[in-house]
Amino acid sequence: MPRPPLLTGPAGPPGPVAPASAVAARPAGTLARYRPRLAALAAGALPVLAFPAPGVAALAWVALVPGLLLMRAAPGAREAAVRGWWFGAGFILTGMSWLTRSIGPGLPLLAVVFGALQAGVGVAVWRLLRPPVTVRRALLAPVVVAAVWLTTEYARSWHALGGPWALLGATQWQHPAVLALASAGGIWLVSAAVVAVNTAVAVAIGAVDPRPRAVAALFAAAVLAAGPLLFALRPAPPAAAGGSGPAEVWIALVQPGIVDEPDARFEASARATAALVGRPPVDLVVWGESSTTADLERDPAVLARLRELSAATGAELLAGEDARKSDGRISKDAVLVSPDGVVDRYRKIRLVPFGEYIPLRPVLGWLAGVSRAAGENRAPGAGQHLLPAVDRSGRALPVGTLICFESAFPDMARTAARAGARVLVYQSSTSTFQRSWAPEQHVSLAAIRAAETGRPVVQASLTGVSAAFDAQGRELARLGTDGTGALVVRLPLTAPDAATWYDRVGDVLPLAAVLVTAGAAAVAGAGRRRERRGPGPAGG
């Protein structure tokens, strides 16, 4: 049988039908292209095992390596960016899987949007880790890749984009020696250290020349030693002296447990508080977020009950009010009550996206019909301020009170510390997310805020976890999600004027990371333009 004629130009007859083997090869090629992308998606889930509740913290220092190697092996910068995107999507899908209960089908959309931020990581890895890896690249790669990663964390930490949840540095919350880095540069420095070590490990694996491998190994060892060295050499935040207010405080954290009906929840909290009478005295009683749905400005009976409990225990009581106010809007307030009545209140200013308001409600409001997203938007407060609590002896005990999701924001804890807070108090309710990773992920943030600010931190949760941490982030006591009652803890206080480096300098590191990222992008762009122009004319 003669062969069909070949095409000789655009005007010729239709070409021959492709052989069956060629047709079969196309799907195989498509599959080959998507196989590494799917691997990157799966690799994005690996770092999540270092977060609570799996809590394999040591894994964080190498968990990024498989994803980095997949990005490095990409055939070009564009494919590396795509693999970085898929890696980021896998990370968000797994790390925030518990959000399915509140936003339902919105989680994949969230993963796609936030995953796109990691495309820059893919490009940086491909440009710096692809062969041949030189000594210069071995030094630059951990710094630049960490900067690009930190830039993505900082971008998605903007409240309008959801807030700083699942930052890589949070994996080290149970290791005060590593958290010493947070006292210098906030959680950002811990994240940067983790990414830098992962990148150095990837360099050591991928480099052929022993010199860059040795440089990468030394770099990783130096970064791993930095936190413990700082913890050993830098003294702990100074303790309060006798003339600067109380040197310690006793706080009772009230956890009623899973009680769905609001009045029953209030009564459970009241019983746990009444049980404190006759026990060693406390200075402050803290209830969880939404512990009452009564508007204490318009419900004298509920307020009278709280005043009675404050008088009986001899301590001021910090209640969580989740009520519809006289203007018809619902707000969440922390209300400080004494035997004389309401002392002061703080209204939550950073609301939970989808849980307490729906961004772009005219467009995304349909989510409320298919999930537990907010049926109506809560009303945010106007600003942050301390609550003027006093201890049982009447000495000033200014409290930085923040509500639930606000524990994720380093700047809010730092603002309270700089304003003179002696202790940071978080009121929380994670009842929607029981039997998920959310409660453990949430309480871990309190440890980090303590290390950052050099202030003791407590968290009172309706359904757990309620916990207390000292000024270096070490856990002092906890009541898990299966516990109820009042957890009483003694907190040593630091001096009112004590300040960590992070308190003083704030978010300098992520801003520096943005500058490094922009500089690296400019250098890469200049290099691409030179490549397109090709070599210049020969000189004479």
Side-chain angles (χ1 to χ4, degrees):
M1 180 176 180
R3 291 185 179 182
L6 296 177
L7 279 175
T8 57
V17 177
S21 58
V23 174
R26 287 172 188 165
T30 301
L31 182 61
R33 184 176 63 180
Y34 278 94
R35 189 178 291 118
R37 296 179 183 181
L38 292 171
L41 185 75
L46 189 59
V48 178
L49 298 177
F51 286 87
V56 190
L59 182 63
W61 301 98
V62 294
L64 303 182
V65 173
L68 298 180
L69 294 178
L70 284 166
M71 299 172 209
R72 179 188 71 100
R78 179 175 296 181
E79 177 62 20
V82 172
R83 294 182 188 184
W85 187 346
W86 284 58
F87 178 89
F91 178 76
I92 296 297
L93 274 174
T94 311
M96 301 186 186
S97 58
W98 45 271
L99 277 176
T100 305
R101 302 185 188 182
S102 62
I103 65 175
L107 180 61
L109 176 62
L110 195 72
V112 168
V113 172
F114 284 160
L117 294 173
Q118 298 289 359
V121 174
V123 175
V125 168
W126 182 81
R127 290 199 167 274
L128 291 168
L129 269 66
R130 75 186 194 276
V133 178
T134 62
V135 170
R136 179 172 174 272
R137 282 193 188 179
L139 287 170
L140 279 177
V143 175
V144 174
V145 174
V148 178
W149 183 285
L150 208 58
T151 298
T152 68
E153 286 197 339
Y154 194 52
R156 67 180 175 86
S157 295
W158 183 33
H159 177 235
L161 288 181
W165 202 278
L167 304 186
L168 203 57
T171 59
Q172 304 306 304
W173 73 283
Q174 289 182 306
H175 299 278
V178 179
L179 286 187
L181 295 172
S183 70
I187 190 172
W188 317 111
L189 185 55
V190 187
S191 284
V194 172
V195 178
V197 169
N198 274 273
T199 308
V201 172
V203 170
I205 291 174
V208 176
D209 190 329
R211 289 174 300 172
R213 297 177 69 179
V215 166
L218 288 173
F219 192 103
V223 174
L224 285 169
L229 189 63
L230 184 60
F231 184 81
L233 296 180
R234 190 172 183 226
S244 58
E248 65 178 30
V249 62
W250 289 84
I251 296 181
L253 308 174
V254 174
Q255 183 171 304
I258 301 176
V259 184
D260 293 328
E261 205 279 317
D263 290 340
R265 183 166 62 240
F266 180 92
E267 289 301 324
S269 297
R271 287 194 300 271
T273 304
L276 295 169
V277 178
R279 295 169 58 181
V282 296
D283 298 286
L284 181 66
V285 178
V286 183
W287 287 14
E289 176 190 21
S290 305
S291 48
T292 178
T293 56
D295 179 3
L296 298 182
E297 295 174 337
R298 297 187 294 160
D299 195 327
V302 174
L303 178 58
R305 185 76 182 281
L306 294 173
R307 292 172 61 184
E308 291 170 1
L309 289 168
S310 176
T313 58
E316 291 180 326
L317 192 154
L318 188 61
E321 180 191 271
D322 186 356
R324 191 174 297 278
K325 310 301 288 184
S326 57
D327 62 1
R329 303 185 70 187
I330 302 175
S331 64
K332 290 194 174 184
D333 295 11
V335 185
L336 185 65
V337 178
S338 75
D340 298 324
V342 173
V343 177
D344 199 359
R345 65 173 60 228
Y346 162 74
R347 180 161 296 172
K348 189 175 186 179
I349 62 176
R350 292 186 182 168
L351 304 177
V352 180
F354 301 100
E356 293 169 341
Y357 79 100
I358 295 181
L360 304 173
R361 183 174 284 275
V363 178
L364 300 176
W366 58 272
L367 286 171
V370 297
S371 67
R372 296 184 182 181
E376 63 179 290
N377 291 353
R378 299 297 200 266
Q384 187 178 347
H385 67 279
L386 304 184
L387 295 184
V390 296
D391 70 0
R392 62 181 179 269
S393 301
R395 293 173 294 182
L397 182 67
V399 172
T401 303
L402 299 166
I403 300 175
C404 200
F405 177 59
E406 293 178 328
S407 68
F409 293 90
D411 66 301
M412 297 191 73
R414 176 174 171 266
T415 296
R418 288 175 61 86
R422 301 299 306 278
V423 60
L424 300 179
V425 174
Y426 292 109
Q427 294 178 309
S428 172
S429 171
T430 53
S431 54
T432 302
F433 305 110
Q434 292 299 291
R435 292 175 291 277
S436 76
W437 292 346
E440 290 291 345
Q441 286 186 11
H442 192 199
V443 77
S444 70
L445 301 175
I448 296 163
R449 303 291 88 87
E452 286 174 336
T453 62
R455 298 289 190 280
V457 176
V458 296
Q459 174 174 296
S461 177
L462 290 181
T463 56
V465 177
S466 298
F469 301 90
D470 72 5
Q472 292 178 292
R474 293 177 293 198
E475 188 175 278
L476 302 176
R478 77 156 38 205
L479 191 59
T481 54
D482 56 347
T484 58
L487 176 67
V488 178
V489 61
R490 169 186 170 271
L491 289 179
L493 299 180
T494 53
D497 58 351
T500 63
W501 291 338
Y502 179 68
D503 287 333
R504 295 187 179 98
V505 304
D507 293 338
V508 169
L509 190 64
L511 295 175
V514 171
L515 293 177
V516 171
T517 300
V523 170
R528 285 197 300 272
R529 286 192 295 272
R530 285 195 300 269
E531 289 172 3
R532 290 194 193 102
R533 287 196 300 265

